[in-house]
Amino acid sequence: MYKKFGKRLLDVVLTLLALILLLPLLILTALLIRLKFGWPILFRQQRPGRHGRPFTICKFRTMTYARDDSGNLLPDAQRLPPFGQFLRSTSLDELPELINVLKGEMSLVGPRPLLMKYLDRYTPEQMRRHEVCPGITGWAQIGGRNGLTWEQKFALDVWYVDNQSFWLDIKIIGLSVWKTLKREGINQSGHATMEEFEGYSTKTA
């Protein structure tokens, strides 16, 4: 019953409440991004949703569009200024995803939506992470976030798919707030966030 109806109801109620309470913070963050980075304020990108169907995720922009002499974008780590790092470490960049939740494209809790190009790199077991809507936070996020290996993250994602419940979602939301305040697992050493997932066919070839 919770998986079919309760989870969506929880998403809508908590998201509407969060948008009302966080509206001043959303406006302030948008204004600061406009002053520091210019337009656009939002970062939009296609990500795989439930069953791998693509949707457009919305986040606050954290990186500049700095390019090298040939006109190519610089690596992510070189385009992530201190203000962008602050937005990521506090998870403020994730707040626009609340709109994705209201639209039913995401849930408050679920496996994080990764890149479309990863879809053909998963094992069948890892692909099961797409049996549910992707989330703003998830079991892997409170388990270590980007401090985990890909294998560890996917195992936690699949565990959540098999064990989701109302109380588990409440626990994950509460622990996510605590983890955000502590700013744990923001990035993997040497990367702006985490190294690219290459899949196992390329690693073992």
Side-chain angles (χ1 to χ4, degrees), residues 42-83:
L42 295 178
F43 167 79
R44 294 182 173 89
Q45 188 180 58
Q46 276 207 329
R47 298 286 178 91
R50 189 178 185 187
H51 304 310
R53 290 191 294 267
F55 73 99
T56 301
I57 196 172
C58 291
K59 305 173 73 170
F60 277 130
R61 181 179 160 203
T62 59
M63 293 194 293
T64 69
Y65 291 134
R67 298 176 182 271
D68 60 22
D69 294 337
S70 300
N72 300 311
L73 285 172
L74 294 174
D76 288 356
Q78 297 181 39
R79 297 188 292 117
L80 185 63
F83 181 62

mmCIF file of all heavy atoms in Angstrom, residues 42-83:
data_model
loop_
_atom_site.group_PDB
_atom_site.id
_atom_site.type_symbol
_atom_site.label_atom_id
_atom_site.label_comp_id
_atom_site.label_asym_id
_atom_site.label_seq_id
_atom_site.Cartn_x
_atom_site.Cartn_y
_atom_site.Cartn_z
ATOM 1 N N LEU A 42 19.776 28.000 -13.292
ATOM 2 C CA LEU A 42 19.540 26.573 -13.122
ATOM 3 C C LEU A 42 20.382 25.741 -14.081
ATOM 4 O O LEU A 42 20.666 26.154 -15.204
ATOM 5 C CB LEU A 42 18.062 26.242 -13.339
ATOM 6 C CG LEU A 42 17.069 26.825 -12.341
ATOM 7 C CD1 LEU A 42 15.641 26.448 -12.740
ATOM 8 C CD2 LEU A 42 17.353 26.344 -10.927
ATOM 9 N N PHE A 43 20.768 24.589 -13.613
ATOM 10 C CA PHE A 43 21.436 23.583 -14.433
ATOM 11 C C PHE A 43 20.407 22.524 -14.786
ATOM 12 O O PHE A 43 19.745 21.971 -13.900
ATOM 13 C CB PHE A 43 22.596 22.951 -13.653
ATOM 14 C CG PHE A 43 23.161 21.711 -14.276
ATOM 15 C CD1 PHE A 43 24.036 21.795 -15.349
ATOM 16 C CD2 PHE A 43 22.833 20.447 -13.788
ATOM 17 C CE1 PHE A 43 24.565 20.645 -15.931
ATOM 18 C CE2 PHE A 43 23.360 19.301 -14.353
ATOM 19 C CZ PHE A 43 24.220 19.407 -15.432
ATOM 20 N N ARG A 44 20.223 22.265 -16.064
ATOM 21 C CA ARG A 44 19.257 21.268 -16.518
ATOM 22 C C ARG A 44 19.973 20.187 -17.318
ATOM 23 O O ARG A 44 20.837 20.489 -18.136
ATOM 24 C CB ARG A 44 18.169 21.915 -17.390
ATOM 25 C CG ARG A 44 17.266 22.888 -16.646
ATOM 26 C CD ARG A 44 16.196 23.427 -17.583
ATOM 27 N NE ARG A 44 15.201 24.247 -16.896
ATOM 28 C CZ ARG A 44 15.316 25.545 -16.707
ATOM 29 N NH1 ARG A 44 16.382 26.183 -17.157
ATOM 30 N NH2 ARG A 44 14.367 26.214 -16.074
ATOM 31 N N GLN A 45 19.584 18.959 -17.083
ATOM 32 C CA GLN A 45 20.221 17.836 -17.780
ATOM 33 C C GLN A 45 19.285 16.640 -17.784
ATOM 34 O O GLN A 45 18.556 16.414 -16.815
ATOM 35 C CB GLN A 45 21.533 17.454 -17.083
ATOM 36 C CG GLN A 45 22.360 16.423 -17.830
ATOM 37 C CD GLN A 45 23.637 16.098 -17.086
ATOM 38 O OE1 GLN A 45 23.605 15.677 -15.937
ATOM 39 N NE2 GLN A 45 24.771 16.300 -17.737
ATOM 40 N N GLN A 46 19.302 15.887 -18.863
ATOM 41 C CA GLN A 46 18.492 14.667 -18.908
ATOM 42 C C GLN A 46 19.113 13.589 -18.031
ATOM 43 O O GLN A 46 20.327 13.353 -18.079
ATOM 44 C CB GLN A 46 18.359 14.149 -20.341
ATOM 45 C CG GLN A 46 17.247 14.809 -21.133
ATOM 46 C CD GLN A 46 16.722 13.892 -22.223
ATOM 47 O OE1 GLN A 46 17.430 13.074 -22.784
ATOM 48 N NE2 GLN A 46 15.444 14.041 -22.550
ATOM 49 N N ARG A 47 18.281 12.961 -17.219
ATOM 50 C CA ARG A 47 18.696 11.859 -16.361
ATOM 51 C C ARG A 47 17.675 10.732 -16.491
ATOM 52 O O ARG A 47 16.507 10.977 -16.827
ATOM 53 C CB ARG A 47 18.771 12.309 -14.891
ATOM 54 C CG ARG A 47 19.795 13.413 -14.606
ATOM 55 C CD ARG A 47 21.210 12.910 -14.629
ATOM 56 N NE ARG A 47 22.174 13.973 -14.400
ATOM 57 C CZ ARG A 47 22.643 14.316 -13.195
ATOM 58 N NH1 ARG A 47 22.227 13.677 -12.117
ATOM 59 N NH2 ARG A 47 23.530 15.281 -13.081
ATOM 60 N N PRO A 48 18.073 9.497 -16.207
ATOM 61 C CA PRO A 48 17.115 8.390 -16.268
ATOM 62 C C PRO A 48 16.234 8.343 -15.031
ATOM 63 O O PRO A 48 16.725 8.397 -13.902
ATOM 64 C CB PRO A 48 18.020 7.154 -16.362
ATOM 65 C CG PRO A 48 19.299 7.570 -15.704
ATOM 66 C CD PRO A 48 19.452 9.035 -15.971
ATOM 67 N N GLY A 49 14.928 8.240 -15.241
ATOM 68 C CA GLY A 49 13.990 8.114 -14.139
ATOM 69 C C GLY A 49 13.589 6.666 -13.936
ATOM 70 O O GLY A 49 14.353 5.746 -14.238
ATOM 71 N N ARG A 50 12.380 6.455 -13.459
ATOM 72 C CA ARG A 50 11.903 5.100 -13.222
ATOM 73 C C ARG A 50 11.872 4.319 -14.533
ATOM 74 O O ARG A 50 11.461 4.844 -15.568
ATOM 75 C CB ARG A 50 10.509 5.131 -12.593
ATOM 76 C CG ARG A 50 10.036 3.771 -12.111
ATOM 77 C CD ARG A 50 8.680 3.853 -11.454
ATOM 78 N NE ARG A 50 8.283 2.565 -10.900
ATOM 79 C CZ ARG A 50 7.093 2.307 -10.386
ATOM 80 N NH1 ARG A 50 6.170 3.260 -10.359
ATOM 81 N NH2 ARG A 50 6.825 1.109 -9.910
ATOM 82 N N HIS A 51 12.352 3.096 -14.496
ATOM 83 C CA HIS A 51 12.466 2.216 -15.671
ATOM 84 C C HIS A 51 13.387 2.815 -16.737
ATOM 85 O O HIS A 51 13.313 2.431 -17.902
ATOM 86 C CB HIS A 51 11.090 1.921 -16.266
ATOM 87 C CG HIS A 51 10.126 1.323 -15.298
ATOM 88 N ND1 HIS A 51 10.431 0.232 -14.509
ATOM 89 C CD2 HIS A 51 8.849 1.670 -14.969
ATOM 90 C CE1 HIS A 51 9.404 -0.088 -13.743
ATOM 91 N NE2 HIS A 51 8.426 0.773 -13.995
ATOM 92 N N GLY A 52 14.236 3.752 -16.347
ATOM 93 C CA GLY A 52 15.203 4.338 -17.269
ATOM 94 C C GLY A 52 14.651 5.403 -18.181
ATOM 95 O O GLY A 52 15.373 5.897 -19.055
ATOM 96 N N ARG A 53 13.379 5.778 -17.996
ATOM 97 C CA ARG A 53 12.800 6.812 -18.855
ATOM 98 C C ARG A 53 13.420 8.165 -18.539
ATOM 99 O O ARG A 53 13.510 8.562 -17.371
ATOM 100 C CB ARG A 53 11.279 6.874 -18.676
ATOM 101 C CG ARG A 53 10.540 5.675 -19.240
ATOM 102 C CD ARG A 53 9.039 5.930 -19.258
ATOM 103 N NE ARG A 53 8.502 6.037 -17.913
ATOM 104 C CZ ARG A 53 7.982 5.012 -17.229
ATOM 105 N NH1 ARG A 53 7.940 3.804 -17.782
ATOM 106 N NH2 ARG A 53 7.501 5.189 -16.007
ATOM 107 N N PRO A 54 13.855 8.913 -19.562
ATOM 108 C CA PRO A 54 14.540 10.180 -19.307
ATOM 109 C C PRO A 54 13.603 11.286 -18.832
ATOM 110 O O PRO A 54 12.440 11.351 -19.227
ATOM 111 C CB PRO A 54 15.145 10.523 -20.674
ATOM 112 C CG PRO A 54 14.281 9.836 -21.675
ATOM 113 C CD PRO A 54 13.809 8.575 -21.004
ATOM 114 N N PHE A 55 14.129 12.129 -17.979
ATOM 115 C CA PHE A 55 13.445 13.346 -17.558
ATOM 116 C C PHE A 55 14.510 14.428 -17.394
ATOM 117 O O PHE A 55 15.710 14.137 -17.387
ATOM 118 C CB PHE A 55 12.674 13.135 -16.255
ATOM 119 C CG PHE A 55 13.555 13.020 -15.031
ATOM 120 C CD1 PHE A 55 13.767 14.113 -14.196
ATOM 121 C CD2 PHE A 55 14.189 11.819 -14.712
ATOM 122 C CE1 PHE A 55 14.588 14.013 -13.079
ATOM 123 C CE2 PHE A 55 15.008 11.709 -13.596
ATOM 124 C CZ PHE A 55 15.207 12.811 -12.781
ATOM 125 N N THR A 56 14.090 15.680 -17.279
ATOM 126 C CA THR A 56 15.034 16.784 -17.136
ATOM 127 C C THR A 56 15.151 17.177 -15.677
ATOM 128 O O THR A 56 14.199 17.684 -15.078
ATOM 129 C CB THR A 56 14.594 18.005 -17.967
ATOM 130 O OG1 THR A 56 14.496 17.620 -19.342
ATOM 131 C CG2 THR A 56 15.604 19.139 -17.830
ATOM 132 N N ILE A 57 16.313 16.939 -15.108
ATOM 133 C CA ILE A 57 16.545 17.297 -13.720
ATOM 134 C C ILE A 57 16.914 18.777 -13.634
ATOM 135 O O ILE A 57 17.561 19.319 -14.535
ATOM 136 C CB ILE A 57 17.668 16.426 -13.104
ATOM 137 C CG1 ILE A 57 17.660 16.511 -11.580
ATOM 138 C CG2 ILE A 57 19.034 16.808 -13.657
ATOM 139 C CD1 ILE A 57 18.606 15.527 -10.915
ATOM 140 N N CYS A 58 16.484 19.436 -12.566
ATOM 141 C CA CYS A 58 16.785 20.852 -12.349
ATOM 142 C C CYS A 58 17.564 21.010 -11.053
ATOM 143 O O CYS A 58 17.123 20.515 -10.002
ATOM 144 C CB CYS A 58 15.499 21.677 -12.275
ATOM 145 S SG CYS A 58 14.622 21.819 -13.821
ATOM 146 N N LYS A 59 18.696 21.681 -11.138
ATOM 147 C CA LYS A 59 19.507 21.948 -9.958
ATOM 148 C C LYS A 59 19.996 23.391 -10.046
ATOM 149 O O LYS A 59 20.006 23.986 -11.132
ATOM 150 C CB LYS A 59 20.708 21.003 -9.900
ATOM 151 C CG LYS A 59 20.350 19.533 -9.966
ATOM 152 C CD LYS A 59 21.572 18.648 -10.083
ATOM 153 C CE LYS A 59 22.342 18.570 -8.793
ATOM 154 N NZ LYS A 59 23.402 17.534 -8.839
ATOM 155 N N PHE A 60 20.412 23.953 -8.926
ATOM 156 C CA PHE A 60 21.057 25.249 -8.992
ATOM 157 C C PHE A 60 22.445 25.067 -9.606
ATOM 158 O O PHE A 60 23.155 24.112 -9.303
ATOM 159 C CB PHE A 60 21.194 25.867 -7.591
ATOM 160 C CG PHE A 60 19.963 26.570 -7.105
ATOM 161 C CD1 PHE A 60 19.443 26.300 -5.851
ATOM 162 C CD2 PHE A 60 19.329 27.518 -7.900
ATOM 163 C CE1 PHE A 60 18.312 26.952 -5.401
ATOM 164 C CE2 PHE A 60 18.186 28.181 -7.452
ATOM 165 C CZ PHE A 60 17.686 27.890 -6.199
ATOM 166 N N ARG A 61 22.799 25.984 -10.457
ATOM 167 C CA ARG A 61 24.101 25.920 -11.131
ATOM 168 C C ARG A 61 25.229 26.150 -10.124
ATOM 169 O O ARG A 61 25.166 27.062 -9.299
ATOM 170 C CB ARG A 61 24.126 26.989 -12.215
ATOM 171 C CG ARG A 61 25.396 27.058 -13.032
ATOM 172 C CD ARG A 61 25.245 28.150 -14.075
ATOM 173 N NE ARG A 61 26.534 28.582 -14.574
ATOM 174 C CZ ARG A 61 26.762 29.768 -15.124
ATOM 175 N NH1 ARG A 61 25.766 30.623 -15.238
ATOM 176 N NH2 ARG A 61 27.954 30.093 -15.560
ATOM 177 N N THR A 62 26.281 25.322 -10.220
ATOM 178 C CA THR A 62 27.418 25.437 -9.303
ATOM 179 C C THR A 62 28.740 25.684 -10.011
ATOM 180 O O THR A 62 29.729 26.005 -9.360
ATOM 181 C CB THR A 62 27.562 24.155 -8.460
ATOM 182 O OG1 THR A 62 27.749 23.033 -9.328
ATOM 183 C CG2 THR A 62 26.332 23.937 -7.589
ATOM 184 N N MET A 63 28.773 25.521 -11.341
ATOM 185 C CA MET A 63 30.030 25.650 -12.068
ATOM 186 C C MET A 63 29.971 26.783 -13.091
ATOM 187 O O MET A 63 28.903 27.136 -13.594
ATOM 188 C CB MET A 63 30.381 24.337 -12.777
ATOM 189 C CG MET A 63 30.704 23.208 -11.824
ATOM 190 S SD MET A 63 31.489 21.783 -12.631
ATOM 191 C CE MET A 63 30.152 21.192 -13.639
ATOM 192 N N THR A 64 31.139 27.317 -13.396
ATOM 193 C CA THR A 64 31.253 28.335 -14.432
ATOM 194 C C THR A 64 31.342 27.660 -15.797
ATOM 195 O O THR A 64 31.400 26.427 -15.894
ATOM 196 C CB THR A 64 32.508 29.192 -14.223
ATOM 197 O OG1 THR A 64 33.683 28.387 -14.480
ATOM 198 C CG2 THR A 64 32.581 29.726 -12.791
ATOM 199 N N TYR A 65 31.373 28.455 -16.849
ATOM 200 C CA TYR A 65 31.550 27.934 -18.202
ATOM 201 C C TYR A 65 32.947 28.268 -18.730
ATOM 202 O O TYR A 65 33.136 28.528 -19.921
ATOM 203 C CB TYR A 65 30.475 28.501 -19.133
ATOM 204 C CG TYR A 65 29.088 27.992 -18.830
ATOM 205 C CD1 TYR A 65 27.999 28.855 -18.763
ATOM 206 C CD2 TYR A 65 28.860 26.640 -18.602
ATOM 207 C CE1 TYR A 65 26.718 28.387 -18.476
ATOM 208 C CE2 TYR A 65 27.594 26.160 -18.316
ATOM 209 C CZ TYR A 65 26.519 27.040 -18.257
ATOM 210 O OH TYR A 65 25.270 26.570 -17.968
ATOM 211 N N ALA A 66 33.942 28.278 -17.856
ATOM 212 C CA ALA A 66 35.316 28.599 -18.241
ATOM 213 C C ALA A 66 35.830 27.606 -19.278
ATOM 214 O O ALA A 66 35.609 26.393 -19.164
ATOM 215 C CB ALA A 66 36.217 28.601 -17.014
ATOM 216 N N ARG A 67 36.513 28.129 -20.285
ATOM 217 C CA ARG A 67 37.019 27.296 -21.378
ATOM 218 C C ARG A 67 38.507 27.520 -21.596
ATOM 219 O O ARG A 67 39.060 28.557 -21.193
ATOM 220 C CB ARG A 67 36.253 27.604 -22.680
ATOM 221 C CG ARG A 67 34.752 27.301 -22.576
ATOM 222 C CD ARG A 67 34.003 27.713 -23.831
ATOM 223 N NE ARG A 67 32.567 27.473 -23.702
ATOM 224 C CZ ARG A 67 31.966 26.339 -24.030
ATOM 225 N NH1 ARG A 67 32.687 25.344 -24.539
ATOM 226 N NH2 ARG A 67 30.664 26.197 -23.874
ATOM 227 N N ASP A 68 39.144 26.554 -22.257
ATOM 228 C CA ASP A 68 40.565 26.707 -22.574
ATOM 229 C C ASP A 68 40.723 27.519 -23.850
ATOM 230 O O ASP A 68 39.734 28.015 -24.417
ATOM 231 C CB ASP A 68 41.241 25.337 -22.698
ATOM 232 C CG ASP A 68 40.624 24.472 -23.795
ATOM 233 O OD1 ASP A 68 39.993 25.019 -24.721
ATOM 234 O OD2 ASP A 68 40.773 23.235 -23.720
ATOM 235 N N ASP A 69 41.946 27.669 -24.319
ATOM 236 C CA ASP A 69 42.221 28.496 -25.501
ATOM 237 C C ASP A 69 41.569 27.942 -26.765
ATOM 238 O O ASP A 69 41.360 28.678 -27.733
ATOM 239 C CB ASP A 69 43.737 28.609 -25.722
ATOM 240 C CG ASP A 69 44.422 29.386 -24.607
ATOM 241 O OD1 ASP A 69 43.724 30.178 -23.934
ATOM 242 O OD2 ASP A 69 45.641 29.191 -24.395
ATOM 243 N N SER A 70 41.242 26.653 -26.751
ATOM 244 C CA SER A 70 40.604 26.040 -27.917
ATOM 245 C C SER A 70 39.078 26.096 -27.850
ATOM 246 O O SER A 70 38.397 25.618 -28.756
ATOM 247 C CB SER A 70 41.052 24.580 -28.049
ATOM 248 O OG SER A 70 42.457 24.489 -28.198
ATOM 249 N N GLY A 71 38.573 26.672 -26.784
ATOM 250 C CA GLY A 71 37.124 26.786 -26.639
ATOM 251 C C GLY A 71 36.462 25.606 -25.960
ATOM 252 O O GLY A 71 35.234 25.544 -25.876
ATOM 253 N N ASN A 72 37.261 24.663 -25.461
ATOM 254 C CA ASN A 72 36.700 23.502 -24.767
ATOM 255 C C ASN A 72 36.501 23.812 -23.289
ATOM 256 O O ASN A 72 37.310 24.512 -22.672
ATOM 257 C CB ASN A 72 37.644 22.300 -24.913
ATOM 258 C CG ASN A 72 37.873 21.919 -26.360
ATOM 259 O OD1 ASN A 72 36.927 21.790 -27.128
ATOM 260 N ND2 ASN A 72 39.137 21.741 -26.735
ATOM 261 N N LEU A 73 35.419 23.290 -22.726
ATOM 262 C CA LEU A 73 35.179 23.482 -21.298
ATOM 263 C C LEU A 73 36.314 22.875 -20.483
ATOM 264 O O LEU A 73 36.807 21.789 -20.785
ATOM 265 C CB LEU A 73 33.859 22.834 -20.884
ATOM 266 C CG LEU A 73 32.568 23.550 -21.280
ATOM 267 C CD1 LEU A 73 31.364 22.668 -20.959
ATOM 268 C CD2 LEU A 73 32.440 24.893 -20.579
ATOM 269 N N LEU A 74 36.739 23.588 -19.448
ATOM 270 C CA LEU A 74 37.760 23.069 -18.557
ATOM 271 C C LEU A 74 37.188 21.921 -17.739
ATOM 272 O O LEU A 74 35.967 21.774 -17.626
ATOM 273 C CB LEU A 74 38.249 24.187 -17.626
ATOM 274 C CG LEU A 74 38.992 25.351 -18.283
ATOM 275 C CD1 LEU A 74 39.282 26.445 -17.252
ATOM 276 C CD2 LEU A 74 40.288 24.874 -18.936
ATOM 277 N N PRO A 75 38.039 21.067 -17.154
ATOM 278 C CA PRO A 75 37.545 19.978 -16.301
ATOM 279 C C PRO A 75 36.665 20.516 -15.175
ATOM 280 O O PRO A 75 36.820 21.663 -14.730
ATOM 281 C CB PRO A 75 38.839 19.355 -15.755
ATOM 282 C CG PRO A 75 39.879 19.681 -16.781
ATOM 283 C CD PRO A 75 39.507 21.034 -17.312
ATOM 284 N N ASP A 76 35.748 19.676 -14.706
ATOM 285 C CA ASP A 76 34.793 20.102 -13.683
ATOM 286 C C ASP A 76 35.471 20.746 -12.479
ATOM 287 O O ASP A 76 35.014 21.767 -11.968
ATOM 288 C CB ASP A 76 33.959 18.902 -13.209
ATOM 289 C CG ASP A 76 32.963 18.443 -14.263
ATOM 290 O OD1 ASP A 76 32.876 19.098 -15.324
ATOM 291 O OD2 ASP A 76 32.270 17.440 -14.029
ATOM 292 N N ALA A 77 36.547 20.131 -11.993
ATOM 293 C CA ALA A 77 37.203 20.633 -10.789
ATOM 294 C C ALA A 77 37.715 22.059 -10.974
ATOM 295 O O ALA A 77 37.770 22.834 -10.013
ATOM 296 C CB ALA A 77 38.352 19.712 -10.395
ATOM 297 N N GLN A 78 38.070 22.430 -12.207
ATOM 298 C CA GLN A 78 38.577 23.781 -12.471
ATOM 299 C C GLN A 78 37.453 24.783 -12.687
ATOM 300 O O GLN A 78 37.682 25.987 -12.718
ATOM 301 C CB GLN A 78 39.494 23.763 -13.697
ATOM 302 C CG GLN A 78 40.746 22.911 -13.512
ATOM 303 C CD GLN A 78 41.635 22.955 -14.737
ATOM 304 O OE1 GLN A 78 41.803 23.984 -15.377
ATOM 305 N NE2 GLN A 78 42.231 21.811 -15.066
ATOM 306 N N ARG A 79 36.238 24.297 -12.865
ATOM 307 C CA ARG A 79 35.095 25.189 -13.072
ATOM 308 C C ARG A 79 34.209 25.285 -11.837
ATOM 309 O O ARG A 79 33.128 25.864 -11.889
ATOM 310 C CB ARG A 79 34.262 24.707 -14.271
ATOM 311 C CG ARG A 79 35.019 24.751 -15.584
ATOM 312 C CD ARG A 79 34.126 24.466 -16.774
ATOM 313 N NE ARG A 79 33.638 23.103 -16.821
ATOM 314 C CZ ARG A 79 32.356 22.767 -16.744
ATOM 315 N NH1 ARG A 79 31.426 23.694 -16.579
ATOM 316 N NH2 ARG A 79 31.996 21.494 -16.814
ATOM 317 N N LEU A 80 34.673 24.697 -10.745
ATOM 318 C CA LEU A 80 33.892 24.687 -9.507
ATOM 319 C C LEU A 80 34.513 25.658 -8.506
ATOM 320 O O LEU A 80 35.425 25.300 -7.763
ATOM 321 C CB LEU A 80 33.853 23.270 -8.926
ATOM 322 C CG LEU A 80 32.978 23.044 -7.697
ATOM 323 C CD1 LEU A 80 31.507 23.294 -8.013
ATOM 324 C CD2 LEU A 80 33.173 21.630 -7.164
ATOM 325 N N PRO A 81 34.051 26.905 -8.475
ATOM 326 C CA PRO A 81 34.611 27.909 -7.562
ATOM 327 C C PRO A 81 34.156 27.656 -6.128
ATOM 328 O O PRO A 81 33.280 26.812 -5.871
ATOM 329 C CB PRO A 81 34.041 29.217 -8.107
ATOM 330 C CG PRO A 81 32.747 28.824 -8.736
ATOM 331 C CD PRO A 81 32.958 27.445 -9.291
ATOM 332 N N PRO A 82 34.731 28.385 -5.166
ATOM 333 C CA PRO A 82 34.356 28.185 -3.755
ATOM 334 C C PRO A 82 32.854 28.303 -3.491
ATOM 335 O O PRO A 82 32.308 27.527 -2.705
ATOM 336 C CB PRO A 82 35.135 29.286 -3.032
ATOM 337 C CG PRO A 82 36.348 29.493 -3.886
ATOM 338 C CD PRO A 82 35.860 29.325 -5.290
ATOM 339 N N PHE A 83 32.175 29.233 -4.155
ATOM 340 C CA PHE A 83 30.740 29.373 -3.924
ATOM 341 C C PHE A 83 29.993 28.141 -4.418
ATOM 342 O O PHE A 83 29.047 27.672 -3.784
ATOM 343 C CB PHE A 83 30.196 30.620 -4.618
ATOM 344 C CG PHE A 83 28.720 30.839 -4.399
ATOM 345 C CD1 PHE A 83 28.223 31.053 -3.126
ATOM 346 C CD2 PHE A 83 27.836 30.818 -5.463
ATOM 347 C CE1 PHE A 83 26.858 31.235 -2.913
ATOM 348 C CE2 PHE A 83 26.470 31.006 -5.266
ATOM 349 C CZ PHE A 83 25.985 31.215 -3.978
#
